[in-house]
């Protein structure tokens, strides 16, 4: 496993290319944090990728989401 012991943050990890990337990273042993705008698809992605994945609802185009998301990730909280 090439990524064992590594950690990754993938924006848009709840669908499309981001989700495909998260799947690959998890398969290679990484711990992954994903963000997404839609809570439902985010929850579905995390359920698929457990146990090495955490999900954070955030929209990278919204400044307040940057601060809230960064604080959650640093503190290890999941919303």
């Amino acid at each position: 496993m090439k990524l064992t012991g590594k950690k990754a943050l993938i924006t848009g990890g709840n669908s499309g290319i981001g989700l495909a990337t998260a799947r690959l990273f998890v398969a290679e042993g990484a711990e992954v944090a994903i963000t997404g705008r839609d809570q439902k698809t985010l929850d579905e992605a995390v359920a698929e990728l457990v146990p090495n994945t955490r999900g954070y609802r955030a929209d990278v185009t919204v400044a307040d989401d940057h601060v809230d998301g960064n604080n959650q990730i640093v503190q290890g909280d999941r919303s």
Side-chain angles (χ1 to χ4, degrees):
M1 298 209 162
K2 297 178 190 177
L3 300 177
T4 300
K6 303 292 184 180
K7 296 180 181 183
L9 170 62
I10 301 172
T11 58
N14 60 322
S15 64
I17 293 170
L19 180 56
T21 302
R23 286 179 183 135
L24 178 62
F25 280 33
V26 168
E28 290 294 333
E31 292 181 45
V32 177
I34 61 173
T35 67
R37 293 180 295 177
D38 181 74
Q39 190 66 53
K40 182 178 182 283
T41 58
L42 184 62
D43 291 342
E44 291 168 354
V46 170
E48 174 190 335
L49 298 169
V50 293
N52 291 329
T53 305
R54 291 178 178 236
Y56 301 91
R57 205 228 46 89
D59 182 342
V60 297
T61 66
V62 177
D64 285 344
D65 279 4
H66 294 195
V67 174
D68 292 342
N70 289 338
N71 288 337
Q72 289 175 12
I73 291 168
V74 168
Q75 295 170 5
D77 297 334
R78 182 185 173 270
S79 58

